Amino acid sequence: MKFGFSVKGGEFMGDCIFCKIVAGEIPSKKIYEDDKVLAFYDISPEAPVHFLVVPKEHIVSANDITEENCSIVSHIFLVINKIVRDLNISENGYRIVNNCGTDGGQTVNHIHFHVLGARELKWPPG
Ligand code: 5GP
Ligand code: ZN
């Protein structure tokens, strides 16, 4: 997407914080980037390691995963697999979280996977 705004999943990409981070319009502390995804540290970390992995394409939530775009999810898990090894949290373990919609606690309407680690995490979540 080079020019202007387009609508996907009912939202203007131009209003989306994570599209702006992907575009470099909002700075972020990047960990990994390729043609399909960006990984960056969460601005408000809930664990000593807390990063987010987002597709560069604007997909609103898990509700918007389709036959056509679902390969991005496996790609994101492969990227997480690489990053957790690079950050030395793979052996102790970590948590991958996707919040979907209002009850799921999603606050940014561009699908993202949280990865939290480097401390023991409680279960169940609140
Ligand atoms: P959600 O609640 O939607 O699952 O998670 C959104 C996450 O995005 C939150 O953990 C929040 O701290 C993070 N976040 C929101 N705005 C920004 C930002 O501008 N930069 C970064 N790096 N993280 C952000
Ligand atoms: Zn977006």
Side-chain angles (χ1 to χ4, degrees), residues 2 15-16 21 48 62 78 83 91 104 116 126:
K2 279 186 182 159
D15 289 338
C16 173
I21 287 176
L78 274 177
I83 294 171
E91 290 211 356
L116 302 119

Side-chain angles (χ1 to χ4, degrees), residues 58-98:
H58 182 82
I59 298 168
V60 173
S61 79
N63 284 337
D64 301 288
I65 295 298
T66 64
E67 292 282 351
E68 286 70 39
N69 66 19
C70 66
S71 64
I72 196 67
V73 178
S74 52
H75 182 66
I76 284 171
F77 272 68
L78 274 177
V79 166
I80 290 171
N81 184 292
K82 172 187 159 30
I83 294 171
V84 293
R85 278 184 283 117
D86 289 348
L87 296 179
N88 286 315
I89 60 169
S90 59
E91 290 211 356
N92 277 355
Y94 50 90
R95 186 171 295 165
I96 301 172
V97 174
N98 169 252

Side-chain angles (χ1 to χ4, degrees), residues 5 13 19 37 39 46 57-58 73 77 80 82 106 120:
F5 300 137
M13 296 164 70
C19 282
V37 303
E46 297 290 347
E57 178 188 5
H58 182 82
V73 178
F77 272 68
I80 290 171
K82 172 187 159 30
Q106 184 175 7
E120 196 174 333

Side-chain angles (χ1 to χ4, degrees), residues 5 27 32-33 36 38 45 57 63 86 97 100 108 115 126:
F5 300 137
Y32 173 91
E33 182 169 19
K36 295 189 278 292
L38 178 67
E57 178 188 5
N63 284 337
D86 289 348
V97 174
C100 178
V108 178
V115 180

Side-chain angles (χ1 to χ4, degrees), residues 11-20 22 55-60 108-111:
E11 187 185 29
F12 283 95
M13 296 164 70
D15 289 338
C16 173
I17 294 171
F18 288 172
C19 282
K20 287 182 177 168
V22 166
K56 289 190 169 180
E57 178 188 5
H58 182 82
I59 298 168
V60 173
V108 178
N109 291 327
H110 178 133
I111 193 171

